[in-house]
Amino acid sequence: PLSCQQDSIKAAQQWVMACGHGAAPGLARLCGVRCVAPHTPPDKRLHIIYLINDVLFKGCVTAGGAV
């Protein structure tokens, strides 16, 4: 399960990056739905935001973009 621990976020980020570009739209949609769902606890929303931040940062670095 995703937690606010750095190791958990990093492991989830590595998994998302390994899924490839084909999975990106579905993963983005799932993260969005989870973030706005009324039953999602605030701490889980924060964990998802941390994960999204790490994925975007890693994607920029991997693509050679400015960070």
Side-chain angles (χ1 to χ4, degrees), residues 18-40:
C19 287
H21 287 59
L27 290 170
R29 189 172 17 264
L30 177 62
C31 286
V33 167
R34 289 279 176 98
C35 277
V36 299
H39 64 275
T40 303

Side-chain angles (χ1 to χ4, degrees), residues 1-60:
L2 186 61
S3 73
C4 210
Q5 299 291 323
Q6 186 176 6
D7 292 340
S8 174
I9 299 292
K10 183 172 177 124
Q13 175 261 327
Q14 290 171 341
W15 179 81
V16 169
M17 297 301 287
C19 287
H21 287 59
L27 290 170
R29 189 172 17 264
L30 177 62
C31 286
V33 167
R34 289 279 176 98
C35 277
V36 299
H39 64 275
T40 303
D43 61 327
K44 291 295 181 187
R45 291 179 186 173
L46 185 59
H47 302 166
I48 293 168
I49 292 169
Y50 285 154
L51 173 59
I52 293 168
N53 179 68
D54 277 7
V55 169
L56 291 174
F57 183 82
K58 177 71 173 182
C60 285

